[in-house]
């Protein structure tokens, strides 16, 4: 169970609170939408949950333990722009080996061609790169996955293809999903319940 | 107004040392736009839709070679004519605020665009004032720097840059991603109004839902080719002609949410036959022999030997 208890966060001492007293709990295998108007802290909360930011108050607990401070984080965040998530100076192969390597079946299911692995990120299109960024976190070490507008830059077919693989993986391994999207149709397709931020 | 026929674009790249290789990034694009209509160009990343915009504005890099016919207002669009017309008769609405000069107030930038398009300083000032008012931008917006305006306002400023030119053809490159749904809807509405005012509008997008909200016709691109040109109404009516456009429609979350597996072929390894062949449920021997030509069908166009009326 992933639990956040009374989280408070702001980007500076004089700036307004972005996250105010936020509490939530997500069970393994659950699929939850995170909804709020733009600018109300959806992305900030995602970064807190995945350990990119530290809350000023409150705790995040995974199975009643704090998140590990080093090593692979079992809560992984996927961004909208894969260009910002993959080291531009490494070949793709090296990026895939950074964490436990995803299985060949996952790579094949995402339509990743072996030739892409020897390239640098700038030699691939946005859609190709996002498939790789997602493949990288579909490993047994991932317990929760946060998808922040994960497919907003992609065409409808690539979007459906990626979600098919992610949903299958999540079901098989009991991975909990937190989904942020501007598309209500997409959230309706994927999620079982919604958490309204600030509510 | 605009007619593009069999456009092809090739890049020359250095491979190893001085060995050169040719990269065929656009194989065969065709498209036409009439005054008063919105034509959406829909496709995944790498399908060649942004390169099309670059070709129309004559801003392809030096290592690109272009073939095929492009004509604008009845005359061929040569590189010189491109240079003369861009920013005047053909205008681009760029994708993001980062296309504006960060060190110049937005009012000055839009005014400069109007002046470069031929207006006098006084005329340009009036036009900018009128355009900002039309898009509900407060008077003070003109004095702001790009970083001081919100995403929605920035979008209206970018639309203004195209409006003040009186351009007959407006190209909008991915105007909606990253925008709040309400702002996205408003931006699309502005494009629709430009067409109602008699201009031709090309809407480049990967978002088929956005395209269908305002487009009259939709051109579907795949791996540097036009695979289908359909009326927007053909999508919900189930009258699509090409298996790829059908797949795109089926893959929407409000429809079946079922994808076709695989990925678009890379320009380095284009198959001999149909470019969609390796993912197509209807593929046959004929498809793998040679690439099908674009042919008219049911008041639209399709590049598939199997499509029937």
């Amino acid at each position: 169970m992933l639990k956040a208890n009374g989280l408070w966060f702001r980007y500076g001492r004089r700036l307004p609170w972005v996250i105010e007293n936020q509490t939530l709990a997500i069970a393994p295998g659950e699929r939850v939408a995170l909804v709020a108007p733009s600018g109300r802290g959806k992305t900030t909360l995602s970064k807190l949950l995945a350990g990119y930011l530290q809350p000023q108050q409150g705790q995040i607990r995974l199975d009643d333990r704090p998140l590990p401070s080093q090593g692979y984080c079992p809560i992984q965040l996927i961004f909208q722009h894969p260009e910002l998530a993959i080291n531009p100076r490494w070949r793709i192969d090296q990026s895939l080996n950074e964490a436990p390597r995803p299985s060949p079946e996952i790579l094949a299911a995402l339509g990743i061609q072996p030739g892409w692995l020897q390239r640098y990120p700038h030699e691939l299109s946005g859609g190709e790169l996002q498939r790789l960024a997602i493949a990288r976190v579909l490993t047994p070490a991932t317990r929760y996955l946060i998808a922040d507008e994960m497919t907003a830059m992609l065409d409808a077919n690539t979007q459906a293809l990626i979600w098919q693989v992610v949903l299958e993986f999540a079901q098989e391994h009991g991975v909990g999903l937190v989904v942020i999207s501007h598309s209500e149709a997409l959230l309706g397709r994927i999620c079982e319940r919604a958490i309204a931020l600030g509510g | 107004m605009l007619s593009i026929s069999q456009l092809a674009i090739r890049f020359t790249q250095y491979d190893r040392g001085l060995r050169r290789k040719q990269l065929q990034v656009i194989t065969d694009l065709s498209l036409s736009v009439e005054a008063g209509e919105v034509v959406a160009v829909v496709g995944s990343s790498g399908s060649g839709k942004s390169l099309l915009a670059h070709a129309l504005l004559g801003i392809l890099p030096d290592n690109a070679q272009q073939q095929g016919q492009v004509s604008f207002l009845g005359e061929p669009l040569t590189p010189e004519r491109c240079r003369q017309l861009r920013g005047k008769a053909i205008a681009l609405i760029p994708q993001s605020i980062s296309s504006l000069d960060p060190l110049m107030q937005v009012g000055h930038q839009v005014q400069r665009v109007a002046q470069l398009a031929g207006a006098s300083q006084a005329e340009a000032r009036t036009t900018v004032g009128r355009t900002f008012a039309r898009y509900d931008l407060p008077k003070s917006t003109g004095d702001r720097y790009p970083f001081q305006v919100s995403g929605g306002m920035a979008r209206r400023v970018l639309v203004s840059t195209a409006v003040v030119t009186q351009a007959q053809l407006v190209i909008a490159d991915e105007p909606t991603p990253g925008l709040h749904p309400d702002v996205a809807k408003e931006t699309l509405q502005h494009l629709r109004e430009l067409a109602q005012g008699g201009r031709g509008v090309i809407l480049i997008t990967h978002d088929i839902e956005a395209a269908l909200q305002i487009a009259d016709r939709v051109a579907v691109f795949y791996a540097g080719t036009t695979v289908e040109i359909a009326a927007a109404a053909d999508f919900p009516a189930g009258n699509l002609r090409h298996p790829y456009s059908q797949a795109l429609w089926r893959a929407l979350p409000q429809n079946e949410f079922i994808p076709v597996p695989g990925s678009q072929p890379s320009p380095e390894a284009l198959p001999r036959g149909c470019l969609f062949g390796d993912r197509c449920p209807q593929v046959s021997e004929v498809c793998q022999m040679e690439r099908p030509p674009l042919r008219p069908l049911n008041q639209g166009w399709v590049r598939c030997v199997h499509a029937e009326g």
Side-chain angles (χ1 to χ4, degrees):
Chain A
M1 184 76 100
L2 172 64
K3 283 185 185 161
N5 209 343
L7 295 187
W8 290 76
F9 181 84
R10 58 183 168 186
Y11 284 94
R13 300 188 116 217
R14 305 217 170 140
L15 295 173
W17 292 104
V18 184
I19 302 293
E20 287 181 74
N21 198 18
Q22 184 70 47
T23 295
L24 55 85
I26 299 157
E30 215 184 357
R31 303 185 302 273
V32 179
L34 201 57
V35 275
S38 59
R40 296 287 175 79
K42 295 189 293 282
T43 295
T44 304
L45 181 60
S46 309
K47 287 183 175 170
L48 287 168
L49 291 175
Y52 284 81
L53 296 172
Q54 298 302 319
Q56 273 98 14
Q57 286 178 49
Q59 313 89 36
I60 295 162
R61 293 269 187 277
L62 178 62
D63 299 336
D64 297 319
R65 271 185 240 156
L67 300 184
S69 58
Q70 52 183 341
Y72 189 84
C73 184
I75 304 165
Q76 285 289 321
L77 173 58
I78 308 265
F79 297 91
Q80 179 174 353
H81 298 284
E83 307 82 39
L84 305 177
I86 292 186
N87 190 332
R89 290 175 174 267
W90 284 1
R91 288 185 195 271
I92 296 297
D93 205 41
Q94 203 178 348
S95 286
L96 281 186
N97 282 333
E98 199 179 4
R101 196 179 171 89
S103 71
E105 292 78 39
I106 289 282
L107 297 184
L110 283 166
I112 291 168
Q113 294 168 11
W116 300 356
L117 303 186
Q118 292 313 313
R119 299 201 208 158
Y120 287 96
H122 72 266
E123 295 172 318
L124 292 167
S125 75
E128 291 166 353
L129 217 49
Q130 188 66 306
R131 294 176 194 218
L132 289 157
I134 291 163
R136 188 166 62 160
V137 301
L138 296 186
T139 72
T142 302
R143 306 278 311 284
Y144 287 86
L145 203 58
I146 307 174
D148 185 358
E149 293 285 6
M150 180 169 84
T151 50
M153 298 302 290
L154 305 177
D155 64 281
N157 190 66
T158 312
Q159 164 171 281
L161 184 130
I162 284 178
W163 274 112
Q164 192 180 52
V165 177
V166 169
L167 289 173
E168 249 169 56
F169 181 87
Q171 190 168 20
E172 193 181 326
H173 294 86
V175 170
L177 293 177
V178 178
V179 186
I180 299 174
S181 170
H182 65 278
S183 162
E184 282 177 24
L186 184 67
L187 293 177
R189 247 317 156 176
I190 295 167
C191 300
E192 303 155 310
R193 69 176 172 108
I195 296 177
L197 223 63
Chain B
M1 168 185 272
L2 175 78
S3 139
I4 302 166
S5 167
Q6 296 181 314
L7 178 72
I9 296 174
R10 215 165 44 182
F11 286 123
T12 307
Q13 285 186 332
Y14 281 95
D15 195 7
R16 235 164 232 243
L18 292 176
R19 205 180 317 153
R20 290 195 290 188
K21 65 172 178 185
Q22 305 284 338
L23 212 53
Q24 189 78 43
V25 285
I26 288 190
T27 353
D28 190 346
L29 283 189
S30 297
L31 184 73
S32 69
V33 183
E34 301 304 325
E37 77 168 343
V38 178
V39 176
V41 170
V42 170
S44 65
S45 63
S47 64
K49 52 195 200 302
S50 291
L51 279 175
L52 168 73
H54 292 186
L56 290 175
L57 294 161
I59 52 172
L60 288 171
D62 288 339
N63 64 338
Q65 291 111 52
Q66 187 179 328
Q67 286 172 316
Q69 296 84 46
V70 181
S71 82
F72 179 65
L73 298 175
E75 279 177 64
L77 195 60
T78 57
E80 301 91 84
R81 197 151 168 258
C82 241
R83 269 195 295 279
Q84 286 163 15
L85 294 181
R86 69 179 175 224
K88 300 185 183 75
I90 303 178
L92 175 74
I93 300 180
Q95 193 170 349
S96 82
I97 193 76
S98 60
S99 302
L100 293 175
D101 182 343
L103 300 178
M104 195 175 179
Q105 291 153 321
V106 297
H108 285 190
Q109 297 194 50
V110 181
Q111 185 178 332
R112 186 153 174 275
V113 172
Q115 280 175 251
L116 286 173
S120 74
Q121 200 177 3
E123 283 166 2
R125 201 175 293 133
T126 334
T127 317
V128 172
R130 204 172 50 222
T131 312
F132 276 16
R134 167 142 184 275
Y135 290 125
D136 288 327
L137 289 164
K139 273 219 167 84
S140 58
T141 310
D143 299 328
R144 304 205 175 208
Y145 290 91
F147 77 93
Q148 293 173 311
V149 300
S150 76
M153 284 162 78
R155 196 57 63 176
R156 284 179 264 166
V157 170
L158 293 173
V159 173
S160 305
T161 59
V163 172
V164 296
T165 59
Q166 302 297 322
Q168 288 134 296
L169 179 67
V170 174
I171 306 166
D173 191 4
E174 294 280 10
T176 52
L179 291 185
H180 188 268
D182 296 343
V183 183
K185 207 168 196 176
E186 181 195 293
T187 305
L188 292 171
Q189 202 47 49
H190 290 154
L191 295 176
R192 180 73 248 168
E193 285 165 19
L194 289 181
Q196 272 153 5
R199 304 172 196 237
V201 176
I202 299 180
L203 165 63
I204 295 176
T205 181
H206 69 274
D207 185 349
I208 207 159
E209 295 169 82
L212 293 179
Q213 280 180 41
I214 59 157
D216 299 291
R217 292 189 300 136
V218 178
V220 181
F221 283 18
Y222 185 79
T225 56
T226 312
V227 294
E228 172 161 359
I229 300 175
D234 290 345
F235 283 79
N239 290 339
L240 292 174
R241 301 154 188 84
H242 195 279
Y244 179 65
S245 353
Q246 289 161 1
L248 273 183
W249 177 250
R250 230 181 4 253
L252 283 175
Q254 57 270 49
N255 298 338
E256 290 168 49
F257 205 42
I258 299 171
V260 287
S263 56
Q264 192 171 250
S266 132
E268 282 169 332
L270 293 180
R272 191 159 66 106
C274 173
L275 298 182
F276 188 61
D278 60 332
R279 306 172 76 183
C280 183
Q282 301 172 30
V283 67
S284 64
E285 222 172 285
V286 200
C287 311
Q288 285 158 342
M289 302 289 280
E290 60 173 350
R291 296 203 188 131
L294 193 66
R295 61 187 170 97
L297 183 70
N298 295 345
Q299 283 105 46
W301 293 80
V302 65
R303 187 187 299 282
C304 175
V305 292
H306 297 296
E308 284 166 17

